[in-house]
Amino acid sequence: MPKIKAAIIGSGNIGTDLMFKAIRSDVIEPAWMVGIDPESQGLALAKEHGLQITNAGIDGMLPHVRSDEIRIAFDATSAHAHPEHAGKLQPLDVRVIDLTPAAIGPYCVPVVDLEKHLGREEMNINMVSCGGQATIPIVAAISETQDVEYAEIVATIASRSAGPGTRRNIDEFTRATARGLEVVGGAAKGKAIIILNPAEPPLIMRDTVHCLTREAPREAEIGRAIAAMIHRVQAYVPGYRLKNGPVFDGNRVSVFLEVQGLGDYLPPYAGNLDIMTSAALRTAEIIGATMRGRHA
């Protein structure tokens, strides 16, 4: 069955890593990469791997969307640029998977709420943040077991893995992640903290999740729910691991995670970027499989 053709908007680290992952996909065919820098290494690599490229931004691709049968677009640019991109793609019936903090569409963590979005045929889906993709599944696992009054996460990433876009969007990261803990994770109140660790050599992504349950934690049930959730995330992020926990202290449940990247384009310590590209591709593959099913 033919693959679903996709465009990658943004030829930086995230877009390039996503391209290498998508090339291996059985469902998605990366057909275009869009950039704005003629000297971009990402555009050069995309051309080398057979993708159509443009350095004229999204306007350079738009005339070819229908003729090249682009059905899905990944936006790996910025929160500032995303509204324009989404506005130009929607009339062309292109589903947009947003890796920026713009959050025009609903938040999506594929193991938690993607099925709900499939039923609604959302045209724009937001991937929250790297910290959200790592920690929301754990909060959701606990909240499915019993009520979570408060969830707080601390995402620690290597300073080297935080490029200019990440640094410009720190405020958006914290707001989006905190909101995602509530809307997707099920916590009544959420808080997110990000730490850029300057250690050399760089350390892989570490995430700490603290949840306060309304009633005394049902420890065995929570432990089983967390283990099952981690196994589900590992299906598309093999480097997602439980380091310690769950640790119980009164009504507080603490879980300690690490995320190591696959090293497709980014170094393995950049698990924060790898989990975003992996989650975005997983989302596209499930959407794409649904599209193929309708046209089988």
Side-chain angles (χ1 to χ4, degrees):
M1 187 175 292
K3 295 183 181 182
I4 300 297
K5 292 185 179 181
I8 298 170
I9 306 168
S11 61
N13 287 339
I14 293 177
T16 306
D17 186 75
L18 176 59
M19 177 190 73
F20 281 110
K21 286 179 168 57
I23 286 170
R24 297 195 299 266
S25 175
D26 294 328
V27 180
I28 299 299
E29 177 186 341
W32 271 85
M33 180 175 279
V34 173
I36 56 174
D37 178 6
E39 304 302 318
S40 164
Q41 184 183 33
L43 288 179
L45 288 168
K47 184 176 181 180
E48 182 181 315
H49 284 81
L51 279 70
Q52 297 294 318
I53 65 169
T54 177
N55 59 35
I58 192 170
D59 290 335
M61 181 191 70
L62 289 177
H64 308 279
V65 166
R66 288 204 166 100
S67 59
D68 287 356
E69 299 180 326
I70 301 300
R71 305 290 304 283
I72 292 174
F74 301 92
D75 193 341
T77 59
S78 69
H80 174 74
H82 179 70
E84 177 189 352
H85 297 161
K88 290 180 175 180
L89 289 167
Q90 187 167 349
L92 298 173
D93 199 30
V94 176
R95 297 276 189 96
V96 180
I97 297 175
D98 177 16
L99 286 82
T100 83
I104 291 175
Y107 293 140
C108 177
V109 178
V111 291
V112 181
D113 66 341
L114 177 54
E115 186 174 343
K116 175 180 68 177
H117 300 318
L118 289 177
R120 297 173 180 171
E121 296 192 4
E122 297 284 356
M123 294 302 295
N124 188 304
I125 290 178
N126 180 262
M127 303 309 297
V128 194
S129 68
C130 61
Q133 290 296 332
T135 61
I136 289 172
I138 301 300
V139 177
I142 297 171
S143 66
E144 287 171 3
T145 304
Q146 58 191 111
D147 291 341
V148 173
E149 290 191 329
Y150 177 72
E152 179 177 302
I153 72 97
V154 181
T156 303
I157 66 174
S159 183
R160 271 208 219 170
S161 72
T166 299
R167 293 171 188 271
R168 282 195 301 269
N169 292 323
I170 292 292
D171 289 345
E172 290 87 350
F173 169 95
T174 55
R175 286 195 294 267
T177 307
R179 185 63 179 148
L181 294 170
E182 300 165 359
V183 174
V184 185
K189 176 69 176 175
K191 180 179 180 180
I193 300 166
I194 184 170
I195 297 172
L196 306 186
N197 189 332
E200 292 290 344
L203 300 178
I204 66 175
M205 183 187 198
R206 298 283 173 84
D207 297 283
T208 301
V209 182
H210 299 295
C211 289
L212 289 178
T213 58
R214 188 163 297 164
E215 300 173 347
R218 297 193 289 274
E219 297 185 9
E221 290 181 45
I222 288 174
R224 287 192 295 270
I226 289 172
M229 184 63 79
I230 287 173
H231 180 71
R232 291 171 62 196
V233 175
Q234 286 173 336
Y236 58 95
V237 190
Y240 184 79
R241 295 187 287 264
L242 177 69
K243 286 296 289 181
N244 193 17
V247 176
F248 299 93
D249 181 9
N251 281 28
R252 186 175 67 187
V253 184
S254 299
V255 180
F256 305 89
L257 308 161
E258 68 177 18
V259 185
Q260 182 173 340
L262 289 173
D264 289 314
Y265 176 71
L266 303 165
Y269 64 75
N272 53 305
L273 303 179
D274 193 270
I275 197 170
M276 280 292 280
T277 55
S278 296
L281 180 61
R282 181 70 161 195
T283 299
E285 287 178 330
I286 294 173
I287 292 172
T290 303
M291 289 176 173
R292 292 203 308 192
R294 285 202 300 266
H295 294 90

